[in-house]
Amino acid sequence: MSVSSIVVLILYIVFLGGGCAYTMHRTLTGGKKK
Amino acid sequence: MSNLDLNSNSETQAQAKENWGSRFGYVMSMIGMAVGLGAIWRFPMIAAQNGGGTFVLMFVLITACVAIPMGWPEIAVARKAQGGLVKSYEMVLGKKGKTLGFIYSLVPLLLNMYYLIVIGWVLAYTIFSIPGSYFQEPVAFFQEFQGNRIESFLWTIGALLITTVICYSGVKNGIERFCKIALPALFIILIILAVRICMIPGISVGIDYYLKPDISIFTDTRVWLMAGSMAFFALGPGPGYLHTYGGYLKKDQDVTFDFLTVAIYSTFGCVLAGFISVPAVVYFNLDKATGSGLVFSVLPKVFQQLGAPRLMGFAFFLALLGAGISTTISIMEITVNTIVDVFKWERKKTVLVVALVTAIGAIPCVWNDAFLNALDWVVNNIGYTFSAAITAVLFAWRVGANKVREEWMNPDSDLQVGKWFNPVYKYLCCAVAVFFCAQALVTLFSGKAF
């Protein structure tokens, strides 16, 4: 795999993966309204 | 009890507003609405044909900048009006709005007439995966299967029955309950399949194609258009998806943060689905231009290379079926919700009538490919595009972007959207929506539509 592909993959994992984990965590446990 | 009391009681029952049972259920149902065949089937197909990695980056960018700001007001107006399309537009435009909402609801009714045909194929392929019927000659098998119209219609009715049963059970006990199980299962299956495919020795050449951005493609307006239309409609602004599901929110439930969650999961679903098809198609040197047959005639060849093809095929088509059904129920729900609001019919009766009309409308779509293609073009390019544009212009310019943000979106929401939203909604979103309308009209009048 090329370096630029690895960079893009890391960006997807951080932003999309992290975004999914954070938003679902807020949906299930936190936030103002459950 | 007098007759009058009985009538008034039954009318109250018919009009009793349902709400989502939980925040998680609402978010899952919204993700189910967004992640359908478009995400798992159309996205990888278009990504494979339009430069892979560059297309994916464009898609993510347009989703963030245009699709999310366009979706927020549609959910927010429905929460404020405490109803779907009809009540939302009645609140904004008075009696004229009621007519507009009713016209919008015809778009999803027409859509389900042919969308369910493809879901019927997926249902058939899920079952065919058990004996592995299609693995010997995938292309010939698909052509023969597609050519048998009676069989195709029966599978369509099967998919319609599943959709009807879920809608008939209600919002909380049907749609929400189904999505709370189907959506997590869908993502688990997609992750397992994507990881398995990415473990094929030498697949990195395909992964490179899917991920590596090619700077030269960034100047290609045609690819921007493809990515734009995919992102624009993946989240469902326009003919009532967001209004309908937003109308089942309680008055103090969140709008902005939950839709952000939906957008992130929808994008994740698209990107994940791409990992299943695109690298494998490139690696096995299969035809990227296969079009709609990618899923039915190309992917079985990929599954054969992986070992346990029947299990892989079954898992994939089951995931696709879950995604498809979670979308068809949202499509049917728009029409049901509108009819209940306009004619005050009882919900269960309405579901059955809408199912019957859908089944009748599916007949010409199954037997006449030209009719199906024309209907598909009209629904996507006229129905979706114009409803999204009219809504955006109406809310941004007539109601006012600032009022929409301060009075509809932000109250009781976890995420407080700042003033940046006003110019983005007023200029960028409206311009993009109007541009797609103009493009549709040019295509229509140049005779290239269908």
Side-chain angles (χ1 to χ4, degrees):
Chain A
M1 262 169 82
S2 68
V3 177
S4 54
S5 297
I6 293 169
V7 171
V8 174
L9 183 62
I10 291 170
L11 285 174
Y12 283 150
I13 291 170
V14 170
F15 285 104
L16 282 179
C20 285
Y22 172 70
T23 52
M24 194 46 69
H25 171 74
R26 283 278 297 260
T27 301
L28 291 171
T29 62
K32 213 161 56 177
K33 305 275 181 289
K34 276 193 187 180
Chain B
M1 197 182 280
S2 70
N3 272 346
L4 190 69
D5 287 338
L6 278 173
N7 286 341
S8 124
N9 251 357
S10 74
E11 193 169 285
T12 316
Q13 262 184 337
Q15 290 177 50
K17 183 182 172 290
E18 275 197 90
N19 286 116
W20 298 108
S22 66
R23 187 177 186 177
F24 177 70
Y26 160 66
V27 170
M28 283 297 119
S29 304
M30 286 284 278
I31 296 171
M33 175 273 294
V35 180
L37 288 185
I40 299 178
W41 177 16
R42 189 162 174 259
F43 178 85
M45 190 174 79
I46 300 178
Q49 292 164 358
N50 290 281
T54 318
F55 175 87
V56 180
L57 274 184
M58 290 173 177
F59 170 79
V60 172
L61 204 66
I62 299 170
T63 300
C65 298
V66 181
I68 296 174
M70 280 197 74
W72 277 329
E74 294 191 10
I75 304 169
V77 68
R79 182 189 66 168
K80 190 167 176 66
Q82 287 291 288
L85 270 171
V86 170
K87 286 187 180 169
S88 297
Y89 287 105
E90 196 180 13
M91 188 184 85
V92 178
L93 290 171
K95 274 192 175 174
K96 273 184 271 175
K98 216 171 170 177
T99 315
L100 184 69
F102 186 72
I103 293 169
Y104 275 20
S105 74
L106 297 175
V107 177
L109 180 67
L110 294 173
L111 173 63
N112 243 0
M113 289 173 184
Y114 65 89
Y115 194 90
L116 276 161
I117 297 173
V118 186
I119 306 294
W121 296 348
V122 176
L123 174 63
Y125 265 65
T126 310
I127 294 166
F128 293 160
S129 300
I130 300 169
S133 320
Y134 53 81
F135 285 114
Q136 289 263 317
E137 287 292 336
V139 179
F141 184 89
F142 180 58
Q143 281 169 351
E144 196 188 329
F145 171 71
Q146 220 183 351
N148 188 340
R149 309 290 174 163
I150 293 174
E151 194 183 355
S152 196
F153 182 67
L154 291 176
W155 286 112
T156 305
I157 296 298
L160 177 62
L161 272 177
I162 298 172
T163 307
T164 307
V165 167
I166 295 169
C167 279
Y168 190 85
S169 308
V171 175
K172 195 170 155 184
N173 293 327
I175 299 171
E176 185 175 338
R177 188 179 282 180
F178 173 79
C179 291
K180 272 162 82 172
I181 299 165
L183 265 294
L186 163 74
F187 277 94
I188 290 168
I189 292 173
L190 288 182
I191 290 170
I192 292 171
L193 286 173
V195 169
R196 175 67 191 90
I197 283 176
C198 290
M199 281 165 63
I200 297 171
I203 193 86
S204 58
V205 60
I207 298 176
D208 261 344
Y209 177 80
Y210 184 53
L211 290 178
K212 197 175 172 182
D214 179 352
I215 304 296
S216 66
I217 301 178
F218 269 105
T219 53
D220 189 339
T221 46
R222 193 189 56 84
V223 181
W224 274 105
L225 270 175
M226 296 298 287
S229 77
M230 184 72 222
F232 195 65
F233 297 111
L235 285 175
Y241 296 93
L242 304 178
H243 295 90
T244 305
Y245 277 12
Y248 294 126
L249 285 171
K250 288 174 192 147
K251 272 192 169 174
D252 61 349
Q253 259 185 288
D254 176 278
V255 168
T256 52
F257 189 84
D258 285 347
F259 189 60
L260 187 67
T261 309
V262 173
I264 292 172
Y265 271 85
S266 166
T267 310
F268 180 58
C270 288
V271 174
L272 205 53
F275 269 108
I276 294 172
S277 326
V278 184
V281 167
V282 173
Y283 176 66
F284 291 114
N285 205 18
L286 301 169
D287 186 7
K288 289 200 284 272
T290 312
S292 57
L294 180 81
V295 162
F296 300 103
S297 51
V298 174
L299 280 183
K301 291 179 190 168
V302 175
F303 296 143
Q304 273 176 314
Q305 313 286 327
L306 298 176
R310 283 187 289 177
L311 183 64
M312 297 290 283
F314 180 75
F316 176 77
F317 284 110
L318 188 67
L320 195 57
L321 183 66
I325 293 290
S326 66
T327 303
T328 56
I329 53 180
S330 70
I331 300 171
M332 182 182 269
E333 186 59 30
I334 301 171
T335 320
V336 170
N337 178 286
T338 307
I339 291 174
V340 168
D341 276 351
V342 173
F343 300 109
K344 312 291 177 208
W345 285 7
E346 200 258 332
R347 183 189 160 86
K348 290 188 172 178
K349 176 181 131 188
T350 313
V351 171
L352 296 177
V353 171
V354 171
L356 185 66
V357 172
T358 308
I360 294 167
I363 295 171
C365 298
V366 170
W367 267 273
N368 190 330
D369 291 341
F371 179 80
L372 188 149
N373 290 335
L375 190 63
D376 181 37
W377 194 91
V378 170
V379 166
N380 280 305
N381 293 280
I382 303 293
Y384 267 72
T385 314
F386 278 79
S387 57
I390 292 168
T391 304
V393 171
L394 182 71
F395 289 176
W397 291 90
R398 182 168 168 150
V399 178
N402 196 51
K403 185 180 173 182
V404 167
R405 181 179 66 87
E406 284 188 339
E407 294 180 21
W408 294 0
M409 284 160 45
N410 280 345
D412 289 303
S413 286
D414 282 352
L415 176 72
Q416 295 295 300
V417 178
K419 284 183 177 170
W420 61 265
F421 170 84
N422 301 352
V424 168
Y425 191 45
K426 216 167 169 177
Y427 300 108
L428 182 65
C429 295
C430 288
V432 171
V434 171
F435 174 77
F436 279 119
C437 289
Q439 198 203 14
L441 288 177
V442 168
T443 313
L444 183 66
F445 290 117
S446 63
K448 293 176 189 165
F450 43 81

